Amino acid sequence: MGTFSSFFDSQSRSQWNYNTLKNFRQISPIVQTHLKKVYMTLCCMLVASAFGAYLHIIWNIGGYLTTFACFGAIIWLHSTPPCQEQKRVSLLMASAVFEGASIGPLIDLAIQIDPSVLVAAFVGTALAFACFSGAAMLARRREYLYLGGLLSSGVSMLLWLHFASSIFGGSTALFKMEIYLGLLVFVGYMVVDTQDIIEKAHLGDLDYVKHALTLFTDFVAVFVRILIIMLKNSAEKGERKKKKKRSD
C-alpha cells in the first residue's frame, strides 16, 4: 500500500496546473500519434464488446465457449505477423465481441437488478481509466514501470486465492479480498501498461493492435470488479429494505 500511496504523493507534489496538463513535450509527436491510434482502437473494441454483450442478452451465447473463442482469437492475433494489419484488426474486434459475450451474463444480471448500476460502473471505470492513464502520461518516463513486479505478485496472489476458494470452498471474506485486491491490481496495471506502451513506442514498437488489446484487458478487468462490487452493495441494500418492511 505504501507504494501506491507514493504514487499519489508524487503527483500531489507536482505543480498541477493548466500548463502541466499541456506538457507532453517528453512524448514525441510520433508516439502521440501512436497513442491516438491505440485509444481510438480501444474505443472501437469497447463498442464491439458491448455488441457481444447484446448478442448474449438476445441469444444467451455467453459462457465457456465464448471465453475459449476469445482466447483463441487472441492467440491467433499474436501469431499473425504485423504486416497483415487488416487480419489482426479483425481478430482484435472478434476477441472483443467474444469477451463482451463472456461477461454478458453479468451484464444481463445487472440489467435485471438495476440498469443504473451498469451505467455507473462503466462511467466509474472510464473515469478511473482516464485519470490513471493521464497520470501515467504526465509522469516522468519509466517512473512507474517498477510497479510491474509488485502487480505481478498481486496477480499471483489472486490466482492462489481463487485456487484456494475452489478447493476449500469460498467465504464472503475471501471473495471480497479477491475482488478488491483484483481491482487494486488492475487499476495499477492501467498506469504501468500506459507507461510501458509509451516506452515501447519510443523504442520503435508501434504495434497499436497489441497495445490496444493490453489496455482493453485492463479496462474489462476493472469494469467487471466495479460492477460486481456495486451489484453486491445494491443487493445488500435491497435486503435491508425488505427486512425493514417486514419489521414494520
Side-chain angles (χ1 to χ4, degrees):
M1 292 298 291
T3 307
F4 285 97
S5 63
S6 65
F7 168 78
F8 293 101
D9 291 340
S10 64
Q11 297 302 320
S12 62
R13 286 194 297 266
S14 302
Q15 295 180 354
W16 285 88
N17 51 37
Y18 184 66
N19 292 327
T20 304
L21 293 175
K22 295 190 299 180
N23 182 20
F24 286 96
R25 286 176 297 179
Q26 61 180 341
I27 302 178
S28 65
I30 295 176
V31 177
Q32 291 183 30
T33 303
H34 172 68
L35 289 176
K36 289 177 184 177
K37 292 182 69 175
V38 169
Y39 286 111
M40 186 63 68
T41 307
L42 175 62
C43 291
C44 294
M45 291 185 72
L46 292 176
V47 173
S49 182
F51 177 70
Y54 177 71
L55 291 179
H56 168 78
I57 294 172
I58 296 176
W59 292 317
N60 194 26
I61 60 173
Y64 288 111
L65 184 62
T66 54
T67 302
F68 287 131
C70 178
F71 283 125
I74 292 173
I75 293 171
W76 192 0
L77 187 153
H78 281 289
S79 63
T80 304
C83 58
Q84 300 180 13
E85 183 178 0
Q86 187 174 359
K87 180 179 179 181
R88 296 179 81 234
V89 172
S90 299
L91 289 170
L92 185 70
M93 295 305 159
S95 66
V97 171
F98 289 134
E99 179 65 27
S102 299
I103 63 174
L106 179 63
I107 293 176
D108 192 18
L109 177 63
I111 293 174
Q112 293 177 14
I113 295 176
D114 187 1
S116 63
V117 172
L118 179 62
V119 177
F122 181 81
V123 172
T125 306
L127 288 175
F129 184 85
C131 291
F132 283 95
S133 291
M137 290 181 190
L138 294 170
R140 293 188 302 271
R141 284 179 59 183
R142 299 185 296 273
E143 184 174 2
Y144 299 113
L145 290 181
Y146 72 93
L147 288 174
L150 179 64
L151 295 174
S152 297
S153 300
V155 171
S156 178
M157 190 180 298
L158 284 173
L159 292 174
W160 281 110
L161 285 173
H162 185 72
F163 178 74
S165 62
S166 62
I167 296 296
F168 303 105
S171 63
T172 304
L174 191 62
F175 176 76
K176 285 185 176 180
M177 182 184 297
E178 187 176 347
I179 290 297
Y180 283 99
L181 178 61
L183 179 61
L184 184 64
V185 166
F186 285 104
V187 164
Y189 266 119
M190 286 181 176
V191 179
V192 173
D193 286 337
T194 301
Q195 282 211 327
D196 185 49
I197 288 169
I198 293 172
E199 190 59 30
K200 285 181 177 178
H202 277 292
L203 296 175
D205 183 1
L206 300 176
D207 189 353
Y208 71 94
V209 174
K210 183 174 63 177
H211 294 165
L213 177 61
T214 301
L215 294 180
F216 176 75
T217 303
D218 297 339
F219 191 99
V220 172
V222 172
F223 169 71
V224 166
R225 283 159 178 79
I226 290 178
L227 183 57
I228 290 174
I229 291 170
M230 295 185 71
L231 284 175
K232 197 171 186 307
N233 292 337
S234 179
E236 289 176 353
K237 286 181 181 179
E239 289 180 1
R240 284 197 295 266
K241 286 182 180 179
K242 288 181 181 179
K243 289 180 180 178
K244 190 175 181 180
K245 287 181 179 179
R246 289 174 183 173
S247 60
D248 294 341

